Amino acid sequence: RVLSCFAAAFSLVCGLWVGVRRRSSAVLLLWTLVLSGVCMAIVAMLQKFTGTDLVLWTVKSPNAQFWGTFFYRNHGGAYLILMIIACSALYFYHFNRAERRGQSGGPHLLLFVFVAVLMTSLGLALSRGGILFGGLMTGCFFIAAAGRWLFSTSIRNSILLTLVVGSLLGAGGYMAFQYVDVQDIERRFGDIEKTIETADQDSRMICTKVTWKMAQEELWFGWGAGSWRYIFPMYQKSYPKIFYIRYHPSRGWMGRKIYHYAHNDVVQFLCEYGIVGCSFLLLIFGYWVWCLLFRAAGNTMSAVMLLIGLVMVFGHAFADFILQSPVYWVALNGLFCVSVKLLSLHSERVYR
């Protein structure tokens, strides 16, 4: 399973990097990805409103908390955050192009609406990580978009159109607020202050500590890809809180908990692949970062959004196992590969 997941991502990245030679091809791929993500977000909301317990109204989910086409809502939420990142990068790319051409409108205004739709779907999904990191990403995008608009050379020509779009967004935001149950979100997050104070007793935090202990024993080469679920039980039994299901006053600890993932991909990756294995992954993402820093002339804000998005991805991965989803892993690599390729092609044209 792990081999097929990495092989799919590697093949996709190689194919995209070698095959995409025109900016129009990269833009088309990104728009296809964004539209599919927005459609998934809308379908997810429709499924919630209709009260169905079937994925796409036809497939029974092994997990009651599914979202859209994802059986696990946290993975669905993470995927929607990827779409917000893609929308943010595309927004500034089209904004810059419209400004260079002296146009007052463009497809970037539609992307503004898409971000609002995606964030509404995240709010309804009730995924804590999705709401937190998606909200941060959306907030960064809105602040950057407002700042970019204020310093735009076409601000005088686009005030009326922007006001119309802003009014539509305001109305849409009000309607979304009516559907999103804020009390449900508050219940999902619980008492944040209490959660922080008792973080050391949280099962996910204990799993992270145990996984770090495992990683230290095989630090350079790791235990092997996909081995965590088999090695972890040997360490798990030393921690009753994560080994047993419940504690009975008279019978003592009862039941047995089974973990498939550490709920912390960063530490789990280090545990499974070691420093040597992780270095290859870091080299790939490091190259994306280098390109965004030094090969994005003319599209600085798009590069900034992608860099912020990468921080959000790894921050989310530190608190959940989003990188264990094959769909998400392939989409993540494909998104950054195509985005970096697009900005690099534009930069080459600027300095040609």
Side-chain angles (χ1 to χ4, degrees), residues 17-76:
W17 192 257
V18 174
V20 176
R21 295 295 183 182
R22 298 169 60 91
R23 289 178 297 169
S24 57
S25 300
V27 171
L28 177 61
L29 288 171
L30 286 174
W31 269 100
T32 302
L33 181 65
V34 166
L35 289 173
S36 67
V38 172
C39 288
M40 198 278 280
I42 294 174
V43 168
M45 290 188 286
L46 290 176
Q47 288 178 158
K48 183 177 179 65
F49 294 150
T50 56
T52 181
D53 58 351
L54 302 174
V55 177
L56 298 178
W57 297 275
T58 56
V59 180
K60 185 173 179 58
S61 172
N63 183 4
Q65 306 297 336
F66 64 90
W67 193 249
T69 54
F70 286 82
F71 290 149
Y72 183 51
R73 67 179 172 190
N74 286 6
H75 288 166

Side-chain angles (χ1 to χ4, degrees), residues 11 15 43 68 129 132 154-155 169 193 244 275 298:
S11 300
V43 168
L132 176 61
S154 59
I155 184 173
L169 278 174
E193 184 178 351
Y244 299 101
I275 293 176

Side-chain angles (χ1 to χ4, degrees), residues 258-317:
I258 297 177
Y259 290 85
H260 296 294
Y261 305 104
H263 288 273
N264 186 325
D265 279 335
V266 176
V267 180
Q268 184 174 337
F269 269 45
L270 180 62
C271 175
E272 292 186 340
Y273 308 120
I275 293 176
V276 175
C278 289
S279 63
F280 291 102
L281 296 175
L282 290 175
L283 282 173
I284 295 173
F285 284 98
Y287 180 70
W288 300 148
V289 171
W290 181 85
C291 288
L292 293 172
L293 291 174
F294 302 106
R295 297 184 61 187
N299 289 289
T300 303
M301 288 307 300
S302 292
V304 169
M305 287 295 101
L306 289 168
L307 289 171
I308 293 175
L310 197 59
V311 172
M312 296 299 166
V313 167
F314 281 101
H316 197 176

